[in-house]
Amino acid sequence: LRKADQGGEGEDVGAIFELELFSDVLFIGFPNAGKSSILNALTNADSKVASYAFTTLNPILGRLQGITLMDLPGLIEGTSEGKGLGKGFVKHTRYAKLVAHLISLESGNVVEEYSKMRGEIKKIDEGLYNKNEIIILTKSDLVKPEEAREKAEQLKMFEKEIFITSVYDYDSLEELKKEFLKLKVSN
């Protein structure tokens, strides 16, 4: 038998709940770096993709064989001072094991773009800045292979593992999957 008592008047406790998302891998980069497209290609996510800045307004999660990937809104210079969408996303980065820094191969200067973003991340959050990181050069379908290799070579001075990919290149996406799935083994 079930029994219920008449409820009384509730209390206002003034509590504020704040959602903190969990992910294994964070996708970080300037707007239009291809973060949402790569997330969609690797997972069953349905992140909005468009050719204008700030298409992603909130973090988007996708699952890849037990690994959670998070596409963060695009960062810009000045994010640490509240420009663009601001730095409210930082609370969602605490538990991530890996930062995937995405840079479009359409960039005129990948070294400058990477350096600016790293500087901005350091201003935003030291913990995020110090996480393990890889660099993913995206949109390889839009440049000649030798240009992609040259830009990857320019970034080697940062001593990070570098991947060249496109949502249209199955083999490069498989390499990324293998890299991310290493996290599953290390858990």
Side-chain angles (χ1 to χ4, degrees), residues 119-153:
E120 197 61 37
I121 291 169
K122 188 169 189 171
K123 290 180 202 171
I124 292 169
D125 184 75
E126 195 78 28
L128 178 58
Y129 179 80
N130 290 319
K131 288 189 180 290
N132 289 334
E133 181 184 55
I134 62 171
I135 299 172
I136 303 173
L137 294 172
T138 63
K139 304 182 184 183
S140 63
D141 56 300
L142 299 179
V143 298
K144 293 180 178 166
E146 42 296 347
E147 182 182 347
R149 286 191 298 274
E150 180 183 308
K151 288 183 177 186
E153 190 65 35

Side-chain angles (χ1 to χ4, degrees), residues 14-186:
I16 297 175
F17 293 94
E18 192 169 293
L19 176 66
E20 187 174 315
L21 299 174
F22 171 88
S23 71
D24 298 293
V25 181
L26 298 171
F27 286 7
I28 287 182
F30 284 116
N32 296 102
K35 299 178 300 297
S36 297
S37 296
I38 297 293
L39 181 74
N40 290 345
L42 293 175
T43 71
N44 61 352
D46 189 23
S47 188
K48 184 177 178 182
V49 176
S51 60
Y52 55 86
F54 303 115
T55 308
T56 303
L57 300 176
N58 296 298
I60 305 291
L61 300 175
R63 295 284 288 166
L64 171 66
Q65 300 175 23
I67 300 292
T68 302
L69 311 178
M70 184 187 303
D71 172 18
L72 292 175
L75 305 180
I76 61 170
E77 280 189 278
T79 296
S80 58
E81 288 94 39
K83 290 184 180 174
L85 296 176
K87 57 183 182 174
F89 69 88
V90 171
K91 64 186 171 195
H92 304 301
T93 67
R94 184 181 351 181
Y95 299 108
K97 298 172 188 81
L98 180 68
V99 172
H101 188 127
L102 283 75
I103 302 171
S104 172
L105 282 162
E106 297 171 300
S107 171
N109 189 332
V110 292
V111 171
E112 181 180 322
E113 187 167 319
Y114 178 76
S115 297
K116 284 180 181 178
M117 180 60 68
R118 289 292 291 163
E120 197 61 37
I121 291 169
K122 188 169 189 171
K123 290 180 202 171
I124 292 169
D125 184 75
E126 195 78 28
L128 178 58
Y129 179 80
N130 290 319
K131 288 189 180 290
N132 289 334
E133 181 184 55
I134 62 171
I135 299 172
I136 303 173
L137 294 172
T138 63
K139 304 182 184 183
S140 63
D141 56 300
L142 299 179
V143 298
K144 293 180 178 166
E146 42 296 347
E147 182 182 347
R149 286 191 298 274
E150 180 183 308
K151 288 183 177 186
E153 190 65 35
Q154 293 169 7
L155 290 165
K156 283 189 176 179
M157 71 168 117
F158 296 107
E159 300 178 353
K160 306 286 182 188
E161 195 162 358
I162 301 168
F163 295 84
I164 299 171
T165 193
S166 163
V167 294
Y168 303 110
D169 182 352
Y170 176 81
D171 292 335
S172 69
L173 291 173
E174 286 300 305
E175 287 300 312
L176 277 180
K177 283 182 185 179
K178 287 179 192 173
E179 181 66 20
F180 295 151
L181 290 174
K182 288 179 188 177
L183 296 173
K184 191 174 182 180
V185 174
S186 68

